């Protein structure tokens, strides 16, 4: 059985489950965003995929907070990122974390200041307001654009992991996350 915590040689079981589990959930989230962008309102596929966008987005928000805390707790034992390329990779990971928090965060702020309220898994998170609060809602205009920026960064991240590290350099980078 793999260790639960990270080690300098490889990520532990908890980090791997969070990484690959969330990667699958992000694929589903981007599928719903693509359907929203490309399919007409009457499309049954769009309605199906869009129906889970908000609850899955909130789930991803909660998971990234958990993953960030776990990452911080394991910071000193995690695989190191040495050299210029390593530091750029660490910066890239930081940007991924920032966007994973800010993108759903902007929508949650919007819902907190809105007149419709927000429910998650049947529980009321924000009650509907009598009047909307403009400053809480305005930043959500950036939600979609930042979402697509994250999609581009993720594609770059995958290209670096599979292309540069695994196929060209043939180093251990992919293995320390994939086993
Ligand atoms: C990490 C989580 C999330 C990601 C990656 C994400 C991504 C996206 C993307 C890329 C779009 C643009 C779709 C288009 O161009 O038509 C979008 C739209 C939208 N999302 Fe999300 N989303 C997330 C979480 C959430 C949450 C938590 C909510 C609500 C509580 C939400 C509500 C919406 C709404 C209402 C739209 C349509 C209006 C707009 O484009 O801003 N999303 N999302
Ligand atoms: C096929 C898809 C993916 C592959 C092959 C992949 C590959 C990897 C690899 C090999 C690492 C370790 C890199 C290192 O130690 O320098 C890593 C780390 C990381 N990946 Fe991915 N990844 C994928 C999808 C994603 C997605 C969808 C996200 C986020 C939206 C993401 C976010 C991260 C982050 C933040 C790290 C840093 C370690 C951590 O805190 O979990 N990855 N990935």
């Amino acid at each position: 059985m793999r260790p639960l915590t990270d080690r300098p040689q490889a990520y532990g079981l908890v980090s791997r489950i969070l990484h690959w589990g969330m990667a699958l959930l992000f694929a589903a989230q981007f599928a719903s965003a693509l359907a929203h962008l490309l399919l007409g309102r009457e499309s049954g596929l769009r309605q199906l995929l869009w129906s889970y966008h908000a609850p899955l987005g909130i789930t991803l928000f909660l998971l990234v907070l958990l993953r960030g805390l776990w990452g911080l707790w394991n910071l000193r034992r995690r695989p190191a990122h040495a050299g210029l390329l390593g530091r750029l990779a660490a910066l890239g990971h930081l940007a991924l974390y920032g966007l994973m928090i800010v993108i759903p965060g902007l929508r949650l702020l919007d819902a907190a200041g809105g007149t419709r309220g927000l429910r998650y898994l049947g529980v009321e998170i924000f009650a509907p307001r009598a009047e909307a609060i403009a400053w809480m809602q305005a930043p959500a205009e950036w939600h979609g654009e930042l979402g697509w920026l994250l999609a581009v960064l993720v594609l770059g991240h995958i290209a670096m992991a599979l292309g540069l590290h695994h196929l060209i350099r043939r180093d251990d980078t992919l293995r320390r996350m994939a086993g």
Side-chain angles (χ1 to χ4, degrees), residues 19 67 89 92-93 96 152-163 165:
H19 178 270
R67 176 172 169 184
H93 295 161
L96 290 173
V152 171
L153 282 189
V154 166
L155 289 180
H157 172 72
I158 295 172
M160 293 300 276
L162 295 182
H165 287 291

Side-chain angles (χ1 to χ4, degrees), residues 91-124:
L91 262 184
H93 295 161
L94 205 65
L96 290 173
Y97 270 108
L99 286 171
M100 286 192 280
I101 292 171
V102 167
I103 291 163
L106 290 182
R107 274 283 156 209
L108 290 176
L109 185 69
D110 169 49
T115 53
R116 286 195 294 184
L118 182 71
R119 297 183 76 82
Y120 175 61
L121 306 179
V123 179
E124 184 174 75

Side-chain angles (χ1 to χ4, degrees), residues 3-4 30 37 39 51 65 77-78 84-85 93 97-98 100 110-111 113 126 129 133 136 168:
L4 290 180
F30 284 123
L37 181 69
L39 302 179
S51 65
L65 295 183
R77 328 178 245 264
R78 294 201 130 186
L84 180 64
L85 194 66
H93 295 161
Y97 270 108
M100 286 192 280
D110 169 49
F126 302 122
R129 287 180 184 276
I133 301 177
M136 292 173 86
I168 298 177

Side-chain angles (χ1 to χ4, degrees), residues 32-90:
S32 76
L34 261 185
H36 184 264
L37 181 69
L38 300 177
L39 302 179
R41 272 178 187 277
E42 69 291 342
S43 155
L45 181 62
R46 182 195 200 255
Q47 284 163 21
L48 176 75
L49 295 178
W50 192 247
S51 65
Y52 63 70
H53 186 85
L56 180 56
I58 298 171
T59 305
L60 280 165
F61 180 71
L62 296 174
L63 285 174
V64 77
L65 295 183
L66 195 72
R67 176 172 169 184
L69 286 177
W70 182 256
L72 283 177
W73 194 57
N74 281 269
L75 204 54
R76 283 158 180 263
R77 328 178 245 264
R78 294 201 130 186
H81 291 91
L84 180 64
L85 194 66
R87 254 174 274 156
L88 286 176

Side-chain angles (χ1 to χ4, degrees), residues 6 11 15-16 18-20 22-24 26-27 30 67-68 71 78-81 86 89-90 92-94 96-97 100 150 154 157-159 161-162 165 172-178:
D6 298 339
Y11 292 91
S15 295
R16 287 170 192 230
L18 283 168
H19 178 270
W20 295 113
M22 285 180 70
L24 275 180
F26 268 107
F30 284 123
R67 176 172 169 184
R78 294 201 130 186
H81 291 91
H93 295 161
L94 205 65
L96 290 173
Y97 270 108
M100 286 192 280
L150 175 62
V154 166
H157 172 72
I158 295 172
L162 295 182
H165 287 291
D172 271 350
T173 308
L174 183 62
R175 241 162 284 151
R176 62 196 191 186
M177 183 56 95

